[in-house]
Amino acid sequence: MASDHDMLWSRCAFLGRALLPLLDQELWRRDRRREGLEGWGIDTVVGERLIEIFAALAGHAVALDDSLSAAEFENLPLSSVADAATGKCDFELLAGLPDTFADDRDEVAVTIFRLYAYRGGRSSLQLMRLGTEVRRTLTVLAAREPSPSPTCADLLRRAAEAGLPQ
């Protein structure tokens, strides 16, 4: 049976994977994001996966800071995750991760994120840009919600309604 910490990571990872498909309901946003990634010298596939894992890391970091369980994660405001994406240092986002990941893609993406974070220089600049993209994405998705303070539950509900795989 999976621990609550593993289940928390799983919820955070799903949140991250749901962001771009939900944002891309407006196709022009996908095109703009991809042009931006290319302009920054970031491979599109790598950049989009880093955006997903960045969002998962930001959500996970805030949940750990607030001592939230996997069940309580859904009450986390999207604005808190967006703030963490641009307000926390890279190493803060990496703190407290599970020792192993159920999904190998998450482990690879976290490893790439670590490499970018510890390499410094241009890689740090690229992470800063990706963090800004995560914040922008969360802000756009939050603005689509009818509630005044949308939470992770709202985004996860939309992802389920859209049939996105968990």
Side-chain angles (χ1 to χ4, degrees):
M1 183 176 212
S3 71
D4 189 64
H5 188 236
D6 291 338
M7 290 176 19
L8 173 62
W9 171 256
S10 178
R11 300 305 292 158
C12 294
F14 179 55
L15 177 81
R17 284 190 307 273
L19 286 185
L20 297 182
L22 291 174
L23 183 72
D24 290 350
Q25 291 174 347
E26 298 173 306
L27 294 178
W28 66 271
R29 291 189 184 276
R30 181 189 62 211
D31 296 337
R32 186 197 60 79
R33 179 183 63 252
R34 289 181 174 171
E35 286 173 10
L37 290 171
E38 289 173 12
W40 297 333
I42 302 172
D43 177 77
T44 302
V45 173
V46 171
E48 289 181 345
R49 184 61 182 125
L50 282 172
I51 289 168
E52 292 172 1
I53 208 68
F54 207 128
L57 290 168
H60 189 259
V62 175
L64 289 181
D65 287 350
D66 293 348
S67 300
L68 301 179
S69 68
E72 296 167 322
F73 171 72
E74 295 191 1
N75 298 324
L76 189 64
L78 289 177
S79 61
S80 296
V81 179
D83 290 345
T86 55
K88 287 192 171 285
C89 296
D90 305 335
F91 64 87
E92 290 177 293
L93 297 176
L94 293 166
L97 289 175
D99 293 329
T100 59
F101 296 89
D103 187 335
D104 290 340
R105 295 173 305 150
D106 290 345
E107 187 168 4
V108 169
V110 166
T111 300
I112 292 170
F113 186 95
R114 271 192 185 105
L115 290 172
Y116 272 60
Y118 295 124
R119 186 181 298 161
R122 183 168 185 219
S123 296
S124 291
L125 174 63
Q126 289 177 334
L127 279 182
M128 184 182 73
R129 289 173 170 161
L130 292 170
T132 302
E133 190 65 28
V134 169
R135 182 181 187 84
R136 181 180 305 120
T137 299
L138 286 165
T139 302
V140 167
L141 292 174
R144 291 180 184 172
E145 292 299 322
S147 65
S149 182
T151 64
C152 291
D154 295 316
L155 202 61
L156 295 172
R157 178 187 39 76
R158 280 200 176 232
E161 288 171 357
L164 298 178
Q166 290 196 27

